[in-house]
Amino acid sequence: MNSTNDRKSAPKVAIIGAGIAGSTAAMHLAEQGVNVHLIEKSPSLVSGPPICHLHAGGNLYREISLEQCLELLTQSINSVRLYPHTLNRRPTLIVVPKSDGGDPNALLPRLTQIQSVYQKLVEQDIANKVLGEPQDYYQLYYRDDLEALKGQPQPKDPQGFDEWLIPFAEQADLDGMTYPIVAVQEHGWSVFRIAATASLVLEQLDNCQLSVASKVVDVTENEQGWSVTVESAEGLHTQNYDYVINACGFKTGSIDDLVAKKRTRLVEFKAAYVTHWQHNQYKWPEVIFHGPRGSKNGMAQLTPYANNVFQLHGMTKDITLFEDGLVTSNGESSQPMLPVRLENKIEHGWPEQVQVSRSMRAIEHMSRFVPDYASATEFGTPLFGAQQIPGDDDTLRAADVSFDGDNYARLEIVKGSSAIEAAMKIAQQWGLAKNATDSIEQAHPVTMALTEQMVVERAKALAFQRNYPVELAEIYGEY
């Protein structure tokens, strides 16, 4: 048996689950010289719920607190610095339709405070300027401003808010909106380029053992730490570790149950739909049309990619949300149980009829605000999955890690941009960081050595392998 000093000098960490949380933790710890074993039941990394934007400031959510918005801002900046080749640099429009009944002016005090904090972060470290110039963090547009943009040609590569707003001015139902409309530097985030980055980095690190298509069947605590048993095509294999990180996403409670560490949480199943708008002649920003969640007027979200491919959310129960799709843990188990029909979607895929019908409802929902979107077509497999929400507040969006005992941690991120914050907290809590004063760039030399071309090529291969359009992996927008 190794002495305590020996184990501290070369600790072994098992990370169960290789979504964005587990993969980011593996990258961060392995780059610090920690011996990491990343275990994932799927064939590849970061294949969980869809990620399409940073949430840099929490602007998509009116219901969350300013404190959460500022947490998401800082976490998003750190995420861009860790994953520099993953952004789709285009703005997001926050629109309050008349059908929503809300007041867009209610968003303005929060936006001003977020902008002020972003300015301070940039003043502290110029490397934090990843969302453009702080003074340009957001801009307001009134009806007259949009009318003035109508008829203007959009450059092939739009620069600045005005050029990005031309398609909205031309094709949105401006009579159905309340004003002002907010353009904000909330960029897109490519889940396939995140997966590519993590894969390329971890494959290069000799101190990171990767086990994909592998399922953890037992976790036992002992005097030295933990023994973890993994089942794969090669059979059962048990190894010992100093620490265990539970990064199982919506299945986090199943490992909590194995190790008898109780935790309350929610799980929500959601889906987004891949569509093709062949008639479109513009480069669109992302557009969020607010609406009461779960109602027929629920939020509609238009997320653009290359070659007129768009991802749609519609926050109604027959589009993105699902009947009985939000479930909670109970006294018997830390693992919330989704209905069997939703578990089957995650494990076995979608019936084609359901895929097409929900995609078409998403298209119809979007066409209420952008009438020509009715001409769009369904374009393949939905992006779907379940997310965990620690505790019992279903509006929680900024969450990262919790600890239970001296050598067990749960990654409990709700949004992907919280992953690096969680990883850094683990390294600090367990004394695993070589130099706590290193910048993100200094702490991740292997990650920083990747080129954009390497990341995009691997991302396109991953999209193809997962039966998604390669456009979802390509770079979109630059301003």
Side-chain angles (χ1 to χ4, degrees):
M1 184 183 75
N2 293 334
S3 69
T4 300
N5 287 337
D6 288 338
R7 288 192 294 113
K8 288 292 183 183
S9 65
K12 293 179 65 178
V13 179
I15 302 176
I16 307 171
I20 187 172
S23 294
T24 301
M27 288 167 58
H28 184 61
L29 296 179
E31 290 253 47
Q32 303 299 303
V34 177
N35 295 313
V36 172
H37 185 187
L38 181 60
I39 307 162
E40 168 58 41
K41 67 177 183 178
S42 299
S44 58
L45 311 186
V46 195
S47 59
I51 296 167
C52 53
H53 41 234
L54 279 171
H55 297 284
N59 295 297
L60 277 60
Y61 303 108
R62 294 177 292 187
E63 67 273 17
I64 71 174
S65 65
L66 175 63
E67 181 183 18
Q68 286 192 68
C69 291
L70 297 179
E71 282 186 52
L72 289 170
L73 175 69
T74 302
Q75 292 173 356
S76 294
I77 290 169
N78 288 338
S79 296
V80 177
R81 291 177 62 176
L82 179 66
Y83 289 101
H85 304 304
T86 58
L87 273 196
N88 289 328
R89 294 186 182 275
R90 78 296 180 281
T92 293
L93 306 189
I94 310 296
V95 182
V96 180
K98 290 177 180 176
S99 59
D100 173 68
D103 180 4
N105 290 291
L107 302 171
L108 304 187
R110 191 170 81 176
L111 281 162
T112 301
Q113 292 185 68
I114 295 169
Q115 181 182 43
S116 176
V117 171
Y118 178 42
Q119 175 73 55
K120 290 175 183 174
L121 290 170
V122 172
E123 289 170 357
Q124 291 168 10
D125 186 348
I126 194 63
N128 286 330
K129 195 169 73 171
V130 299
L131 306 173
E133 296 294 339
Q135 65 267 26
D136 298 328
Y137 177 68
Y138 75 95
Q139 185 172 328
L140 305 182
Y141 284 81
Y142 293 86
R143 179 66 181 266
D144 288 348
D145 301 319
L146 295 173
E147 293 289 351
L149 293 175
K150 281 187 174 182
Q152 293 191 21
Q154 187 187 45
K156 180 182 176 183
D157 297 309
Q159 302 289 316
F161 286 138
D162 281 5
E163 292 179 357
W164 277 104
L165 262 74
I166 289 170
F168 180 85
E170 287 283 357
Q171 295 196 292
D173 174 18
L174 300 184
D175 291 333
M177 313 303 167
T178 55
Y179 296 90
I181 284 161
V182 179
V184 64
Q185 292 188 128
E186 170 69 61
H187 300 320
W189 207 21
S190 169
V191 67
F192 293 102
R193 299 206 301 275
I194 295 167
T197 300
S199 300
L200 289 165
V201 169
L202 295 175
E203 288 166 6
Q204 292 183 56
L205 292 167
D206 292 339
N207 56 318
C208 181
Q209 178 186 354
L210 286 176
S211 296
V212 296
S214 301
K215 181 180 180 181
V216 170
V217 295
D218 188 52
V219 184
T220 304
E221 192 168 12
N222 54 47
E223 290 183 4
Q224 289 75 41
W226 298 93
S227 64
V228 178
T229 302
V230 176
E231 182 180 27
S232 67
E234 288 74 42
L236 293 175
H237 185 67
T238 301
Q239 293 188 53
N240 294 317
Y241 306 90
D242 300 297
Y243 302 95
V244 163
I245 297 173
N246 178 356
C248 288
F250 86 99
K251 286 289 191 180
T252 298
S254 63
I255 301 298
D256 279 343
D257 285 349
L258 267 183
V259 299
K261 292 185 180 293
K262 182 69 178 164
R263 182 71 163 159
T264 299
R265 65 172 50 80
L266 301 163
V267 161
E268 184 170 29
F269 181 92
K270 291 191 288 190
Y273 301 89
V274 183
T275 62
H276 187 223
W277 187 12
Q278 189 172 359
H279 294 173
N280 175 56
Q281 301 295 316
Y282 297 101
K283 274 197 169 178
W284 276 73
E286 181 161 355
V287 189
I288 306 298
F289 297 95
H290 275 307
R293 181 185 173 92
S295 75
K296 67 177 184 179
N297 294 320
M299 184 183 83
Q301 179 179 330
L302 178 73
T303 305
Y305 294 92
N307 299 328
N308 293 331
V309 174
F310 292 82
Q311 178 181 334
L312 300 183
H313 286 79
M315 290 301 177
T316 76
K317 288 191 175 180
D318 59 358
I319 302 176
T320 288
L321 306 178
F322 289 75
E323 198 69 44
D324 302 320
L326 178 65
V327 292
T328 186
S329 55
N330 57 45
E332 304 297 320
S333 172
S334 295
Q335 179 58 50
M337 298 302 295
L338 285 166
V340 172
R341 73 181 194 283
L342 299 183
E343 285 271 6
N344 284 340
K345 283 184 172 65
I346 295 172
E347 297 296 331
H348 306 297
W350 289 54
E352 185 176 357
Q353 180 182 358
V354 176
Q355 172 180 311
V356 172
S357 64
R358 281 191 171 251
S359 296
M360 296 310 296
R361 283 199 289 268
I363 289 168
E364 180 183 1
H365 192 57
M366 183 56 62
S367 70
R368 299 168 63 203
F369 308 112
V370 183
D372 191 60
Y373 210 86
S375 65
T377 56
E378 177 264 342
F379 204 58
T381 308
L383 292 151
F384 62 93
Q387 66 179 180
Q388 64 170 328
I389 306 173
D392 55 10
D393 177 8
D394 64 0
T395 69
L396 180 68
R397 293 296 176 267
D400 41 67
V401 63
S402 67
F403 298 91
D404 196 327
D406 295 331
N407 55 5
Y408 179 80
R410 305 174 193 86
L411 294 178
E412 296 182 316
I413 70 168
V414 181
K415 294 303 172 189
S417 48
S418 301
I420 183 56
E421 175 85 5
M424 292 190 295
K425 283 185 176 179
I426 287 175
Q428 181 179 18
Q429 176 83 6
W430 290 343
L432 301 177
K434 285 189 295 190
N435 189 343
T437 62
D438 280 353
S439 69
I440 287 176
E441 292 79 9
Q442 290 169 333
H444 302 92
V446 176
T447 308
M448 295 304 115
L450 297 182
T451 67
E452 181 181 279
Q453 182 180 359
M454 292 165 62
V455 172
V456 172
E457 286 181 0
R458 176 64 71 90
K460 290 168 71 173
L462 286 170
F464 180 79
Q465 290 167 15
R466 297 175 188 178
N467 198 31
Y468 287 105
V470 295
E471 286 87 351
L472 299 182
E474 294 175 346
I475 292 171
Y476 178 87
E478 182 66 43
Y479 79 107

